[in-house]
Amino acid sequence: MKNQAIPISYAKSGALSTIRVRASAGNPRRGWLTAGPLTIPVALGRGGIRANKREGDGGTPKGSFRPRQLWWRGDRHSRPRTLLPVRAIRAEDAWCEDPGDRHYNRPIRRGQGQGGDRLTRADHLYDFIVEIDHNTRPRIPGRGSAVFLHLARENFGPTAGCVSMTQAAMLQLLRRLGPRTRIIIG
């Protein structure tokens, strides 16, 4: 895929109005995120982009989404510049991935030894997490949970269904990402 700029489109707030995520030709686990003049490489889910996302399929959901808020590791980084609501990640923060739980696809608090996708990871993948509104209104059990924009592994290995990027790219994107920005995947 060529690294070509598209016209910048900003909302009145100064936020980008749209960003696009597409799979790379020949490798459905890698892709490109285009945001105004910025085009960055991303890692996608091990199942590629899927129109019919299911819990555990490793697919990145196809569709149009909005960012809800930024979660960040305040114990590792200073607060980044962004137009999104921001929340520091605490040790007890997790994400419910159990389709049978009434808190499915929502943030939860967990004590030591309790389940859920922990947001305080030893690696740096979740140092910056952009929560998107995939499967939120309505929340449908089994249609996928914890789909985020987050940091990539060093080798850009596939995710479990998220879109991941370098820290430098994330910080650049956050400066222009607002609650009304559309994230179009696929």
Side-chain angles (χ1 to χ4, degrees):
M1 177 179 258
K2 284 188 172 182
N3 187 358
Q4 52 184 302
I6 59 173
I8 299 175
S9 177
Y10 296 105
K12 287 182 181 179
S13 66
L16 286 163
S17 61
T18 304
I19 64 174
R20 295 184 186 280
V21 177
R22 293 191 174 101
S24 293
N27 186 351
R29 297 174 175 187
R30 298 283 297 269
W32 296 99
L33 182 149
T34 306
L38 179 67
T39 299
I40 59 171
V42 293
L44 301 171
R46 67 183 181 278
I49 295 175
R50 296 191 174 209
N52 193 18
K53 170 78 181 142
R54 296 285 180 201
E55 190 69 41
D57 67 4
T60 300
K62 181 178 183 175
S64 179
F65 308 100
R66 300 250 188 223
R68 297 182 78 169
Q69 69 178 332
L70 169 69
W71 298 70
W72 111 98
R73 289 287 302 265
D75 60 326
R76 292 182 174 172
H77 305 278
S78 58
R79 182 182 172 138
R81 284 184 32 207
T82 187
L83 301 169
L84 293 172
V86 179
R87 179 171 170 183
I89 297 171
R90 298 177 297 232
E92 65 273 9
D93 287 330
W95 207 268
C96 183
E97 297 176 312
D98 178 359
D101 190 303
R102 67 186 178 98
H103 299 292
Y104 177 65
N105 197 28
R106 286 189 179 164
I108 53 175
R109 294 178 132 181
R110 290 288 190 231
Q112 290 287 30
Q114 291 182 308
D117 185 8
R118 293 282 177 175
L119 302 186
T120 51
R121 296 173 57 119
D123 61 23
H124 292 274
L125 300 185
Y126 282 6
D127 281 10
F128 300 96
I129 302 169
V130 176
E131 175 188 344
I132 66 172
D133 67 356
H134 165 72
N135 194 23
T136 57
R137 292 186 188 142
R139 270 181 309 123
I140 301 170
R143 293 297 299 219
S145 63
V147 176
F148 307 128
L149 305 181
H150 65 72
L151 300 184
R153 292 177 173 82
E154 284 187 30
N155 65 357
F156 263 77
T159 69
C162 298
V163 175
S164 66
M165 65 200 72
T166 66
Q167 181 176 320
M170 173 68 79
L171 293 173
Q172 202 171 7
L173 181 63
L174 285 173
R175 288 186 196 109
R176 291 292 188 187
L177 199 58
R180 299 190 56 79
T181 302
R182 284 186 335 149
I183 302 169
I184 301 172
I185 302 175

